[in-house]
Amino acid sequence: MQDEKTAKILKFVFVGIAIAELSSHAFGWKFLNEFTKPLLMPVLLVYLRKGMKVPVNLSFILAVFALVFSWFGDVALMYVYKSDIYFLIGLGAFAVAQALYLFSFKHAKNREGDDNFSPFQHVLNVLPFAVFAIGLLWTLWPTLGDLKLPVTVYASLISMMALGAVYRNGRTNTESFNQVVFGAILFILSDSLIAINKFYAPMENASIWIMGTYILAQWNIINGLQKHYNQ
């Protein structure tokens, strides 16, 4: 009961930090951004743990490490203005986070359910993500320079992460499935906005859109997983 109350409080704390983080970008308050951004993932991690009504499982542990590496990525990307090496560090950290989420989704399934997708269903699942990733890479390719390989690997990993979310269909409750898929799609959108803004054309209010979609992505993935654990 105490953990449930703590989880409810942490939900409001996270929302408050998220609003402050977006405000820091809207008003150019760099001092606030340096305080709020590093707090997002730790608060979400504790919220995930306090909201669990069942013992710790492998999917939970993988999700925790995904949040940890997301935190490393968040912090690294704060210092991109100092050196491009921070972009590579952030990209690497988030690549690990995507892989961890992929395996977390793999283990966040019920034993009962139908895994026998038809070839046509496999095509329907894969095609949208493949088309989007290839289209984005095709657009950015001339401007990627030495980052062609790292960006391609990352695009592949995040697409696989989203596919992992889709392939939970029929193996968890509907609310968990919908939230995790929605979060995965928002994650792709957020990272695509980063790539477009950095390599293709600067966007107006880019940081607000990037962080807004990113925060919603992480929030939906974590809440979706939590709904699976507590079903």
Side-chain angles (χ1 to χ4, degrees):
M1 181 64 75
Q2 186 62 41
D3 280 353
E4 284 186 40
K5 289 180 180 178
T6 304
K8 288 179 180 178
I9 293 170
L10 287 169
K11 180 186 293 187
F12 290 108
V13 171
F14 182 81
V15 171
I17 295 171
I19 291 171
E21 166 65 15
L22 295 176
S23 298
S24 75
H25 292 284
F27 299 106
W29 295 336
K30 192 173 183 298
F31 70 94
L32 181 60
N33 172 251
E34 291 180 348
F35 174 74
T36 55
K37 192 175 183 181
L39 280 177
L40 286 166
M41 293 306 104
V43 171
L44 193 56
L45 192 160
V46 179
Y47 165 77
L48 171 63
R49 181 65 188 98
K50 293 297 183 180
M52 280 187 70
K53 301 175 183 176
V54 295
V56 168
N57 55 52
L58 180 56
S59 174
F60 166 82
I61 293 170
L62 292 166
V64 164
F65 279 102
L67 288 173
V68 170
F69 277 93
S70 293
W71 180 84
F72 281 120
D74 285 344
V75 173
L77 292 180
M78 289 172 64
Y79 300 102
V80 167
Y81 68 93
K82 290 186 176 182
S83 171
D84 284 342
I85 191 65
Y86 289 103
F87 180 79
L88 278 173
I89 294 171
L91 191 69
F94 276 113
V96 175
Q98 304 306 344
L100 288 164
Y101 269 140
L102 171 62
F103 288 107
S104 177
F105 300 163
K106 181 178 175 62
H107 291 281
K109 295 178 181 178
N110 298 328
R111 290 186 178 179
E112 66 276 5
D114 187 9
D115 271 340
N116 298 316
F117 290 92
S118 69
F120 181 67
Q121 286 173 314
H122 283 300
V123 171
L124 285 181
N125 288 339
V126 173
L127 190 60
F129 299 107
V131 168
F132 184 81
I134 292 170
L136 184 64
L137 287 169
W138 182 272
T139 302
L140 300 176
W141 200 255
T143 62
L144 290 176
D146 294 338
L147 293 177
K148 285 184 173 68
L149 180 59
V151 171
T152 300
V153 170
Y154 185 80
S156 302
L157 279 170
I158 197 169
S159 298
M160 290 170 62
M161 180 275 291
L163 273 172
V166 170
Y167 275 103
R168 295 174 70 239
N169 192 17
R171 298 295 303 274
T172 187
N173 61 75
T174 301
E175 197 172 2
S176 173
F177 172 76
N178 288 340
Q179 273 202 284
V180 171
V181 169
F182 183 54
I185 291 171
L186 284 174
F187 220 138
I188 290 177
L189 176 58
S190 179
D191 285 347
S192 299
L193 291 174
I194 291 175
I196 291 168
N197 184 64
K198 181 175 179 62
F199 298 111
Y200 188 71
M203 299 165 50
E204 188 175 355
N205 298 319
S207 59
I208 298 175
W209 290 106
I210 289 166
M211 285 307 300
T213 49
Y214 170 71
I215 290 167
L216 285 173
Q218 294 279 23
W219 176 256
N220 277 280
I221 288 172
I222 293 306
N223 273 279
L225 287 174
Q226 196 176 77
K227 286 180 174 64
H228 173 82
Y229 304 147
N230 293 337
Q231 64 182 341

